[in-house]
Amino acid sequence: MLSTSLRSLTSKPFSSSSSSSSSSSSSSSLRYPQWSGLQKWREGPLNENRFWGPTGPQPPSSIIQEPNEIEVESPIDLGSSSSSSLAEMGALVLSTADPLIKSKLSHLAYSKWRQENLPVGVVQPPARPARPSKPQLVSPKEIPDPKNSGLPLNAFMLHNLAHVELNAIDLAWDTVVRFSPYAELLGEGFFADFAHVADDESRHFAWCSQRLAELGFSYGDMPAHNMLWRECEKSSDEVTARLAVIPLVQEARGLDAGPRLVKKLIGFGDHRTSNIVARIADEEVAHVAVGVNWFLSVCQKMGRAPCSTFKDILKEYNVELKGPFNYSARDEAGIPREWYDPSSTNKQDKNKQLSEVYERLACIISMEKENSSLNKPGG
């Protein structure tokens, strides 16, 4: 396997032989600017705005409930001994099949962990997350087009997004649970960030479910694919691969697709749904930024160059990068363009060569000016 596994790092986590390369990697990682809102996102209060009101997100009131919340409330219990750590609660979320219960439980788990200062813990994750009987999971080629889906275009796009958000809940919790044995190596901040991501994704799913219900539909009304979880399974044994494949590829694709989806919804005349999608796309910047931050951190600990490591992982795991890219959102999240766009690397090389030529020309011109001034006859 190309990528150094965490198991090898635990046997010799920071040996003297790797310290010099780590320090050089540390200096290189300083070249990558973080998303400016990362610290504010980390330190912000719990977000209870799980209902989409007339003017945007708001907390559910005693009158307004999340979709099917009457059924959701009763099965949830986080007071048992199986919820004494973050990893245990994450495993509970992963083992929950009902999407609405999973979404609510995800928020309760993150809230409990933050409020009660519970440890990360160590738990073996389930082989795969529990799934409801609907939607039927098919290959991407078998997904019906909008005309044959039985849903109007806005509900069709919203259902696809709801499926992505539900998978994102599981992807974030699987990262927490699967790598919990390496909490000492990775640090508590790693798990805090990905539990926070899971909480955000659960809120996004709640918005999508609410809006689908308003349109007269529900999650499961059309088939969906299982590609996202397959990508997760690919990276189940290596933290750098998980960070590269999920936040830096899959979630970054959301940054690319979000504005296009918003534009289509506005064209369809559904401004309420377009506002929900725009807000979700905006909040995904934090999730990609988290991936960049921890990818750089792990590369530093491994003494690996981030750019070449990212490209090597994508090649090893057969992950394809497809444009068009939303450069402004990716730049904001902190993904360097040379990591994913070959044309950007070529431009940088050309710019570097041109700057060297300009410097040489400037030096020659300066020397010629000095020579001409020396050769001038005295006045």
Side-chain angles (χ1 to χ4, degrees), residues 190-359:
F190 176 92
F191 301 93
D193 278 355
F194 281 96
H196 193 164
V197 169
D199 184 45
D200 286 353
E201 306 292 17
S202 74
R203 186 174 64 258
H204 297 167
F205 181 80
W207 292 342
C208 292
S209 297
Q210 176 195 337
R211 182 57 181 152
L212 276 171
E214 291 171 358
L215 294 171
F217 301 95
S218 62
Y219 177 68
D221 282 351
M222 61 170 279
H225 63 75
N226 202 29
M227 279 191 65
L228 290 170
W229 188 253
R230 287 176 188 168
E231 294 297 320
C232 182
E233 288 180 321
K234 282 183 182 180
S235 58
S236 62
D237 61 345
E238 171 54 49
V239 70
T240 50
R242 171 61 60 87
L243 294 168
V245 171
I246 303 303
L248 302 186
V249 174
Q250 295 294 349
E251 296 219 54
R253 283 175 182 164
L255 301 183
D256 302 330
R260 298 197 297 270
L261 186 54
V262 169
K263 191 174 181 180
K264 287 180 181 178
L265 288 164
I266 292 174
F268 187 77
D270 188 348
H271 292 272
R272 181 168 169 82
T273 304
S274 72
N275 289 337
I276 292 172
V277 173
R279 181 60 174 265
I280 290 173
D282 184 59
E283 292 190 2
E284 294 295 342
V285 170
H287 305 168
V288 178
V290 163
V292 173
N293 176 82
W294 288 107
F295 185 80
L296 291 171
S297 174
V298 174
C299 283
Q300 177 184 335
K301 290 175 181 179
M302 294 168 63
R304 300 286 299 274
C307 183
S308 59
T309 300
F310 178 72
K311 292 179 179 179
D312 289 343
I313 288 170
L314 298 197
K315 185 177 180 181
E316 180 184 346
Y317 288 86
N318 194 28
V319 177
E320 188 179 1
L321 292 172
K322 297 179 181 178
F325 302 115
N326 183 349
Y327 291 110
S328 61
R330 285 169 171 261
D331 289 348
E332 184 183 3
I335 309 180
R337 293 189 186 186
E338 64 267 24
W339 288 18
Y340 62 89
D341 186 1
S343 66
S344 175
T345 304
N346 294 335
K347 287 176 184 175
Q348 286 184 350
D349 291 340
K350 288 179 181 178
N351 289 338
K352 184 178 180 182
Q353 292 171 2
L354 285 172
S355 66
E356 289 176 354
V357 171
Y358 292 148
E359 285 178 9

Side-chain angles (χ1 to χ4, degrees), residues 21-35 292-293 295-297 299-300 304-307 334 336 338-339:
S21 57
S22 281
S23 61
S24 62
S25 177
S26 173
S27 62
S28 67
S29 68
L30 294 174
R31 296 188 292 110
Y32 304 111
Q34 281 188 341
W35 172 51
V292 173
N293 176 82
F295 185 80
L296 291 171
S297 174
C299 283
Q300 177 184 335
R304 300 286 299 274
C307 183
E338 64 267 24
W339 288 18

